[in-house]
Amino acid sequence: MKYNEQAKVLENREFASGYRYLTVEAPKQAAEMQPGQFVHIRVPTLEQSALRRPFSVFDAADGKVTVLYKSVGRGTTALSKVQVGETVEIQGPLGRGFPAKCDGVALLVGGGFGVAPLHFLAKRLPKSILFVGGRTKDDLLALDRFEALGVETKVATNDGSAGYKGFVVGPLDETINELRAKGEKFELFTCGPDGLLKAVTERALALKVPGWISVDRHMICGMGACFACIQKTVRGNSRCCIEGPVFKAEELVW
Amino acid sequence: MVNMGTNLGGLAMRSPVATASGTFGYGHEYRDIVDYSKLGAVTAKGVRMEAWPGNAMMRHAEVPGGLVNAIGLQGMGVKHFLERDMFMYSMVKDAPPVIVNVWGGTEDEYAQVAETISAAGKPQIGAIEMNVSCPNVKAGGHTFGQDPKVLFSVVSKVRAATKLPLIVKLAPNVPAIAPYVQACEDAGADALSLINTIPAMVIDIEKRVPVLGNRTGGLSGRCVHPAAVKVVYDAHRVTKLPILAMGGIYEAKDAIEFMLAGASAVAIGTATFSAPDTAAKVYDGIVEYCERHGFGSVGELTGALCES
């Protein structure tokens, strides 16, 4: 069931430069939300005709829904100015999320604010390892929240300012090789820029392990009605808002 | 009590408020969050005989006061629509009749899809709306709607293929609407939909490329409303065909303007994306307006301008 609710803002806090947590009171959506699903938020200070903005859910529990976002464009900048106690209109839970179980170790691979749905997922999959990449250490988000869940984290930065120097597939491949040497099962879960998603898709297909790929697209309706948020799949042009955002690796055509 | 019922060329509507093609999927997608009881009809997204992939990404761009889209009529074809989407629609609570928007690559395909829909005999399907004005698909869109002779020919063929109420959706970007209205009337159309989106383009100045994959698209949303009112007004002056008006309705005031200009019913489009409760609010606002102005029936609003 999808809902459209007026939700009270409980938190709209900058936790790193330009990055924020927005937490709202949305009990119906929080109760039904699955990791990998998203919400569509109407930014109250934008003009009446402005489109909603889609956000992956970082956490949903105790009647509250939290998203992680970056103030980049007109919508997110306006959203950053919304005060605690004000209301936003929020539509959700939307889209097809990640599966709630994993056979073996869950390898979560995030880029930028792609870590958001992986955090919610990590709460459901206790045997998780997070791999996160960024240009510099300032792009590595919410690591404290993963550590609080007891999730092992492995980081990579292009400039070497934290962890492995290079792309996040570096430490990912190391771990994959270790797990394979030990004969341990694992699955891949990812969200981030398309380049990262392609790299994880290739690995899932080559290794014949389940790969769950969350695709990020600009959206209009979020309900499967407008056909704007397309990703090429084996079925043709698929709507990310309803047939995704999470696709199986073998469904995707890059 | 205001009588909110209206009739659109044979389509009995319990409310003058409908949804516009392309903005409401195939009618069922919004079932969890929209109150359908205040809708007089929903219009399904464009359907043709076979599946069609639509345009490349990007398919939309937000602009001040509106939206430019170039979806390109993606769809699974008429069989999928009649079987799967109409089945999904049967699960919608308080569902009004469906107006099926149709298009084709040739005149014969237009007729064929209309005939297929009629022959299916689905009781929920109340009317057919011909799209002869999509700015985003060359073959099946505006080429049929930019020449009154061609328009007469394709509408005549579809008229012969169906007994369902036949609505023709026209483009706003013509020098004068009258010849197109006349062509539809002569060909036996039952009603008109006005307006389709206005051809538009958005450019990314940093990359120096068009934003849309199709390069150009169609403008909708709040900013097109006054232009749409003018087209409805012009059309109503030259025809008795009932008009389903659309273009930038966000509030009851916008819908009432359309009705005073000559519309018998209105359709909510782009507004649904940001505010899915727009149709219900517009319905309530029309009731309130009729009560305040002493109109016992919403039909009295049609063309009720006080002009000297």
Side-chain angles (χ1 to χ4, degrees):
Chain A
M1 185 82 180
K2 294 164 185 164
Y3 305 94
N4 185 36
E5 296 174 282
Q6 296 291 340
K8 194 165 128 189
V9 175
L10 303 172
E11 170 192 52
N12 189 6
R13 173 171 66 88
E14 187 171 39
F15 67 92
S17 181
Y19 292 97
R20 289 176 169 266
Y21 291 122
L22 174 76
T23 301
V24 302
E25 197 173 76
K28 290 178 195 156
Q29 295 180 46
E32 295 184 32
M33 196 76 68
Q34 296 300 317
Q37 290 190 299
F38 69 97
V39 291
H40 217 21
I41 295 179
R42 189 172 189 198
V43 183
T45 51
L46 289 183
E47 72 278 8
Q48 193 182 23
S49 60
L51 297 173
R52 290 186 181 226
R53 266 59 179 170
F55 300 95
S56 284
V57 172
F58 179 81
D59 200 359
D62 309 322
K64 294 180 253 179
V65 174
T66 300
V67 303
L68 182 167
Y69 71 99
K70 185 181 188 181
S71 308
V72 276
R74 213 166 62 86
T76 44
T77 302
L79 187 61
S80 72
K81 303 209 164 70
V82 174
Q83 300 295 311
V84 168
E86 293 179 348
T87 57
V88 296
E89 206 173 300
I90 173 171
Q91 219 164 295
L94 303 178
R96 189 172 72 155
F98 291 112
K101 56 182 182 192
C102 170
D103 187 13
V105 184
L107 305 183
L108 315 181
V109 193
F113 46 84
V115 296
L118 302 178
H119 172 267
F120 190 15
L121 179 65
K123 290 179 75 180
R124 302 279 172 93
L125 303 177
K127 269 178 78 180
S128 295
I129 304 173
L130 174 75
F131 300 84
V132 59
R135 271 167 302 166
T136 167
K137 67 177 168 36
D138 295 335
D139 299 329
L140 307 174
L141 304 171
L143 293 182
D144 56 324
R145 303 289 292 264
F146 284 91
E147 281 157 13
L149 295 174
V151 174
E152 186 185 346
T153 60
K154 301 194 177 201
V155 305
T157 50
N158 297 93
D159 66 359
S161 55
Y164 179 95
K165 185 170 194 255
F167 292 103
V168 70
V169 289
L172 174 65
D173 287 341
E174 282 175 14
T175 300
I176 287 174
N177 290 337
E178 286 166 23
L179 290 170
R180 294 183 75 207
K182 287 191 275 184
E184 280 197 53
K185 286 186 167 179
F186 60 92
E187 295 187 18
L188 293 162
F189 301 81
T190 187
C191 183
D194 278 3
L196 177 65
L197 304 188
K198 280 182 214 173
V200 175
T201 303
E202 283 164 14
R203 282 160 179 76
L205 296 178
L207 300 166
K208 297 192 168 58
V209 297
W212 307 95
I213 318 294
S214 179
V215 178
D216 185 16
R217 289 286 176 273
H218 286 280
M219 290 179 181
I220 302 180
C221 72
M223 302 289 288
C226 75
F227 289 71
C229 58
I230 292 305
Q231 166 65 38
K232 274 206 184 341
T233 69
V234 291
R235 296 184 299 277
N237 285 334
S238 295
R239 294 161 286 175
C240 288
C241 69
I242 187 163
E243 297 166 74
V246 177
F247 294 93
K248 291 181 193 165
E250 58 269 29
E251 291 178 296
L252 294 170
V253 178
W254 289 108
Chain B
M1 273 294 276
V2 179
N3 174 10
M4 289 289 277
T6 187
N7 193 294
L8 193 73
L11 173 66
M13 294 171 67
R14 65 190 176 193
S15 148
V17 184
T19 64
S21 179
T23 64
F24 208 65
Y26 296 101
H28 55 81
E29 289 82 351
Y30 274 96
R31 67 191 177 280
D32 285 351
I33 61 169
V34 164
D35 174 8
Y36 284 66
S37 69
K38 289 176 177 172
L39 285 168
V42 300
T43 309
K45 185 175 164 53
V47 173
R48 71 177 294 183
M49 287 308 291
E50 304 299 333
W52 183 255
N55 291 328
M57 289 285 276
M58 289 282 296
R59 290 182 168 188
H60 76 283
E62 189 180 68
V63 295
L67 171 70
V68 181
N69 91 81
I71 305 295
L73 297 171
Q74 182 179 337
M76 297 290 282
V78 68
K79 187 167 183 286
H80 186 273
F81 168 74
L82 288 169
E83 288 171 9
R84 198 244 173 203
D85 290 304
M86 288 311 296
F87 170 72
M88 295 296 286
Y89 193 71
S90 70
M91 296 193 286
V92 175
K93 192 169 166 271
D94 296 325
V98 179
I99 300 170
V100 188
N101 182 285
V102 302
W103 69 287
T106 62
E107 292 186 10
D108 287 340
E109 192 186 352
Y110 272 94
Q112 207 183 347
V113 68
E115 194 173 3
T116 307
I117 289 164
S118 297
K122 301 271 179 191
Q124 302 137 311
I125 294 177
I128 285 177
E129 176 182 73
M130 288 176 67
N131 180 2
V132 289
S133 47
C134 177
N136 297 326
V137 175
K138 287 189 196 87
H142 62 270
T143 48
F144 293 98
Q146 293 287 337
D147 177 342
K149 286 192 194 108
V150 177
L151 181 63
F152 172 81
S153 173
V154 68
V155 175
S156 300
K157 283 199 172 158
V158 174
R159 173 72 290 168
T162 182
K163 289 195 165 61
L164 285 166
L166 180 59
I167 308 163
V168 186
K169 186 167 185 175
L170 296 175
N173 50 310
V174 291
I177 199 74
Y180 301 89
V181 171
Q182 190 63 50
C184 293
E185 205 174 304
D186 293 347
D190 297 306
L192 302 172
S193 277
L194 296 165
I195 60 172
N196 210 317
T197 56
I198 299 172
M201 185 172 189
V202 183
I203 291 170
D204 181 331
I205 62 164
E206 297 304 324
K207 295 180 188 156
R208 283 185 279 135
V209 294
V211 170
L212 298 173
N214 189 50
R215 296 189 184 88
T216 63
L219 178 65
S220 66
R222 180 162 278 305
C223 58
V224 308
H225 183 253
V229 171
K230 203 264 183 188
V231 179
V232 169
Y233 176 76
D234 287 348
H236 182 65
R237 283 158 70 103
V238 297
T239 186
K240 290 202 163 52
L241 290 181
I243 296 167
L244 176 62
M246 63 211 68
I249 300 177
Y250 283 74
E251 301 165 19
K253 172 188 166 294
D254 308 321
I256 294 161
E257 274 191 76
F258 272 134
M259 299 187 86
L260 295 176
S264 295
V266 295
I268 314 299
T270 306
T272 299
F273 298 140
S274 50
D277 58 354
T278 302
K281 284 186 172 164
V282 166
Y283 178 96
D284 292 343
I286 295 172
V287 171
E288 186 275 327
Y289 176 86
C290 288
E291 284 171 351
R292 192 155 47 83
H293 287 266
F295 292 106
S297 162
V298 73
E300 294 168 37
L301 295 183
T302 301
L305 272 184
C306 298
E307 284 187 295
S308 50

